[in-house]
Amino acid sequence: MTSSAAIGPSRDQVQAHRGTSALAPENTLAAFRKAAEQGAKWVELDVALSADGALVVIHDDTVDRTTAGSGSLGTLSHADIAALDAGSWFDPQFAAERVPTLSQTLSALGELGLNANVEIKQHPHHRSLEQLVDAVQTAIKARASHTEVMISSFDPQALRAMHLRQPELEMAILWGRPPEDWEAQLASVPASAMHVHYKALSIGLLEEAGKSGIKVRAWTCNNPTQLISFWDAGLTGVITDNPALFLK
Ligand code: G3P
Ligand code: MG
């Protein structure tokens, strides 16, 4: 009797969420290095503007949770943010980590052989969508040619604006649960992928998406058994805090 091999993702299908944020402070170069050490090929990271228009890699619209400082990105300059310890909150061994810019991050990813899922955050202090996407475009255009980039966002307008600038890049709409009219919303960007909360996955959704040639990735899943039935049904990828769990 033969048994079928366990179904699981390939290396290209696993993305380290904010880097390997289970083992290093999120959205720091240490977290991205950890992803490379684990053999990941992709990292997901979040970008937003500082008060003076620098594009920094950070999830929240304040520095309170992930640095030793405090305050809103909308009131802090890049110099203010860059001076902060972005690692001690996680573990004292990471005290030297800083909040990197997207440019610094893409440069490091190029050296590490990692590709980037750049999630554009929209925060209340962002004054202009144009300023935001211009900053993303500038950083992306300067990356090493071997570094692949995809863009994701909960904000379809940000994706639309990015698509107009860089139509060759994959665009992914982020949803907790996809809306009824997901196909129309994807077409309006246009986006060729949706990134959905893993609890919103269903075989039916994957089949429907597959018929339309739409990729589906699941966030943020840290237990491979929760996705086991979905790979065979066409799941494109997973965004996880710890890629090693999926890269066995
Ligand atoms: O890319 C998926 C995930 O990063 C979306 O949620 O809040 O972790 O940025 P969040
Ligand atoms: Mg994110």
Side-chain angles (χ1 to χ4, degrees):
M1 203 169 96
T2 56
S3 62
S4 57
I7 304 286
S10 70
R11 214 156 280 279
D12 283 333
Q13 293 178 293
V14 179
Q15 300 191 356
H17 180 238
R18 312 179 193 174
T20 296
S21 54
L23 304 176
E26 66 181 56
N27 284 323
T28 64
L29 298 189
F32 304 135
R33 279 193 296 272
K34 186 67 74 178
E37 281 166 32
Q38 292 183 318
K41 288 289 170 207
W42 283 85
V43 295
E44 185 266 2
L45 54 91
D46 308 292
V47 296
L49 292 170
S50 65
D52 55 348
L55 194 66
V56 288
V57 177
I58 189 167
H59 178 274
D60 302 352
D61 65 354
T62 79
V63 298
D64 299 11
R65 183 178 61 84
T66 58
T67 77
S70 64
S72 161
L73 297 185
T75 63
L76 297 170
S77 69
H78 176 233
D80 295 332
I81 295 167
L84 298 172
D85 165 356
S88 289
W89 68 274
F90 187 87
D91 187 290
Q93 70 173 292
F94 295 109
E97 291 304 315
R98 294 293 177 265
V99 175
T101 63
L102 180 59
S103 298
Q104 290 166 340
T105 300
L106 288 172
S107 171
L109 297 186
E111 288 171 18
L112 293 166
L114 289 167
N115 304 308
N117 169 2
V118 176
E119 184 191 341
I120 301 178
K121 289 295 187 196
Q122 264 293 28
H123 294 307
H125 73 273
H126 288 160
R127 288 189 299 273
S128 136
L129 180 61
E130 294 306 303
Q131 182 192 19
L132 177 63
V133 295
D134 278 354
V136 175
Q137 183 184 31
T138 300
I140 283 171
K141 284 181 92 167
R143 76 188 189 277
S145 57
H146 63 270
T147 305
E148 285 184 60
V149 165
M150 70 173 72
I151 307 291
S152 60
S153 187
F154 285 101
D155 178 7
Q157 286 195 55
L159 294 175
R160 222 166 274 134
M162 273 311 297
H163 173 75
L164 285 172
R165 286 165 176 72
Q166 304 286 142
E168 77 284 4
L169 296 182
E170 180 174 320
M171 299 290 149
I173 303 188
L174 277 161
W175 283 304
R177 180 169 295 280
E180 289 289 318
D181 64 343
W182 57 262
E183 197 160 3
Q185 290 205 35
L186 289 163
S188 78
V189 170
S192 58
M194 65 171 113
H195 293 177
V196 304
H197 192 272
Y198 74 92
K199 286 186 178 169
L201 280 179
S202 68
I203 302 286
L205 174 69
L206 291 169
E207 286 176 353
E208 285 306 306
K211 281 184 211 159
S212 308
I214 297 298
K215 297 174 183 171
V216 181
R217 297 186 185 88
W219 56 272
T220 298
C221 184
N222 296 320
N223 182 350
T225 59
Q226 289 167 318
L227 298 186
I228 206 100
S229 60
F230 295 122
W231 296 110
D232 212 21
L235 182 64
T236 306
V238 60
I239 300 164
T240 175
D241 296 325
N242 191 354
L245 299 172
F246 288 88
L247 296 173
K248 287 184 173 160

